[in-house]
Amino acid sequence: MQPKTLQDILALVDQPSRYLGSETNRVLKDSKTVRLFVALAFPDLYEIGTSHFGLQILYDLLNRRPDVAAERVYAPAADMEQQLRESGLPLASLESRTPLARFDLIGFSLLYELGYTNVLAMLDLAGLPPMARDRDGRHPLIIAGGPCTSNPEPVADFFDAMVVGDGETVIEAMVSALIEWKTAGDGDRTTLLHRWAAIEGVYVPSFFEPVYGSDGLTRLIARAGTVKCVRRAVVADMDSAPFPGAPIIPFSRPVHDRLRIEVSRGCTRGCRFCQAGMIYRPVRERNVDTLVELAEKSLAVTGYEDLSLLSLSTGDYTHITDLAERLMTQCEAGRVAISLPSLRAGTLTPELMRLIRRVRKTGFTLAPEAGSQRLRDVINKNISESDILDTVQNAFALGWKHVKLYFMIGLPTETETDLKGIVDLVKTIRKIKGPGGRKGQIHVSVGTFIPKPHTPFQWAGQIDIETAKARMVWLKEQLRLPGIQFKWQNPETSLIEGLWSRGDRRMAELLLAAFRLGCRFDGWSDRFRFDLWCQAIEETGIDKEAFTSRHRDLDEPLPWDHIDTRVSKEFLRREWEQALGAIPTADCRSSDCNLCGVCDFKTISPQLAAAGSAGTYTAVLAGDAKTDGYKTLRVCYRKVGTARFFGHLELINIFTRAIRRCGIAVKYSEGFHPKPRISFEDTLPVGMESLAEAFYLTVVETQKPAAVFQGLRGQLPDGLEITDCRLAPQRSNRRMARAVRYCVVRRDGTFSENTMAAFEQRENWVVTRVRPNGKRREIDLKKAVYQMVRNDPETMEMVLAAGPGETVRPSEVLSEVFEFQEAQIRASRILKIETLSEVDLKGGGSGHKEDRPCSNN
């Protein structure tokens, strides 16, 4: 039996398109022109990783350099991991299929502590030793960055170096140093690591030695000749910072399937529980004109129909109303919706809402975090109940129908009165009515507070699982009311996250143990195995309470003290004391400096956006022009090779965005979420190829078919090819498909002549279909199989019935007649050759097809 290839494996896994790497705007370089190969690794599924904006920035930044090739790799899902292990194939990059072990540098993005086991899984699938001390010159250098490096110690032993802070300038300097070191052949890796350690924001774990005292506390001692403290890197000016103007457009179902524009970085609100609000200081905003230009260019090269303004607190952007107005002017004609995913109560004003709903209403989320004003003052949320109620009232009055509310339990000083405050607030919001007296839908989400490093609450304890569950259950019972949906984060998951958030290097053995036991994707509720984590904790002797529920003394050493985020420990102590007194601290954006220590007011200081210049902006993309004249085109295409792994919904997205990038003026549907008028003749299952597919597209009368043909041909991924585009006949004159001719190639054996003969001799062959609603329907395959011919032992051609309620696919024949298992069907190559109308069937003529032999090749 021949060894399996990636193509063989893709046929056997779910959502295979996540492993293709042929997306629009991906970069694939000639290896002969490149001096350094970098793999950007994301330890979660493709759908999560492709939604991460930081990875887009690094991918664009590195690939701008002609001497560097940056490619991507994501954590494979469980079925793909199993297939890779069984086949012996190594984990490889998407773009060039290069095994990870052949890269010069692998950079992991660490966004979430519960992704750490996936890091080990990816290294293991690549055949790389997990511990940095066990790797040498035969292996790639492995680094990491992201917010989790604000406490790098739990995973420090696995990396050669770690980036603390903004990565744009740091990664450039690290790559340049690596190229110079490689070119010069200048000593062992220690030489390079010393060069890296001299770059601001680079932490080299091997240069620090952990010392564990009899008091159970950890102290990090810098080795002689190395830096004693690692200072966070900061991009001082966002307006001139690199921006990924042509981001990759993912396949599958990314969690953020839209264009994202980073309007600012950092936050000055000072929420005392929020790590991001501390470690990304100060606020640095892009100017209005810059953002408008970026949006115009990026929408044109992506074809997205949604634009999201990204920041920690978008509503605080200095000129948010002006920016929204200008973007609406650009986007309205092209039916591009604007969303502001990070808003605070009081910032989503009626004026801003009216602007957003000019295209369509997007949902909005508010995060009161606490139910009582006292506790909101403790956490320095700086919003009042009236702010919350006014915002919801405005939203419902303008037509929004649902609001999401986020709360936390277990916050420092929380009491039963504070918990009751959550119930009272939600019930008050429930009474708010929109137009016509209709109440909105309220989605309440509750999580357990997790103390994070470099925040004023880093010394606080985390409530135990039993306490958290009891409070969650009580809230759920109190809010079991019509119009309210309640969900809560598993306290067991929160405990493990808290363990990793404030752990030290002793956690490395725990991670190895959990990985060996099978822990993966711990942030996914359907994959999280608390029992395995408990087993790993017991095996390694980790005292989880010492890292989670224990309150720390203000003067005790912390595992992350050697990481300088620029926010001083003195400021954090002051804020902790203010919190205990429920004393809020004002936002330094609108008041005096709070002396947090970040700004030197020379190179680093708050940067607020300049107002936009007067002028007009080009409307992005084509919309439905103001015309009464439309026509329908029939666009024919092939779906072969790797394109067979696209699902139907993916195809719709691929073609719709290609149409938008081409500037084709189309007609849109009516309603809440307008879509281009496009309809497909057939809905092919994942894995099936076709030479004869078509869709109908309604365009303005002046749109020329030839322009559509030429435009789309250059906008599609590998395996999709436009073959024809012409004016479609009237509906009454369209020839309806009555049958389809297929070619099936078996990969693991031959088609039995005896089975085919037995089928021919039967008078009927009735099978029962069960629909999702439970209804059953019987189909006689003898009437549905018009022809079945064996071209050679492995290849068969069949003509099967098609039409509403009559369609039979080859998979059904393979399963019912030839008794194929699911894996055998997936492994077979199924090619749709042509569609046949009633006239074709009666006259023996051909329908829509191309001359291509059906053979095993």
Side-chain angles (χ1 to χ4, degrees), residues 38 58 140 160 183-184 272 285 337 360 397 424 445 541 687 775 783 802:
V38 181
L58 297 178
D160 297 298
T183 303
R272 291 166 179 146
E285 297 180 343
R360 65 176 179 266
D424 293 341
S445 181
K775 291 186 177 181
K783 295 179 179 179

Side-chain angles (χ1 to χ4, degrees), residues 280-344:
Y280 289 121
R281 291 183 174 210
V283 166
R284 291 145 289 157
E285 297 180 343
R286 283 189 165 98
N287 291 328
V288 172
D289 289 345
T290 302
L291 293 169
V292 171
E293 182 181 357
L294 290 174
E296 179 180 345
K297 291 180 179 178
S298 298
L299 286 169
V301 297
T302 59
Y304 277 120
E305 57 282 325
D306 291 277
L307 168 63
S308 179
L309 303 183
L310 181 66
S311 77
L312 290 175
S313 184
T314 305
D316 287 331
Y317 180 78
T318 305
H319 301 288
I320 184 61
T321 302
D322 180 36
L323 175 62
E325 177 75 61
R326 291 171 184 265
L327 289 175
M328 287 298 153
T329 302
Q330 274 190 317
C331 298
E332 192 170 14
R335 302 296 183 100
V336 177
I338 309 295
S339 64
L340 290 77
S342 181
L343 292 166
R344 295 170 59 91

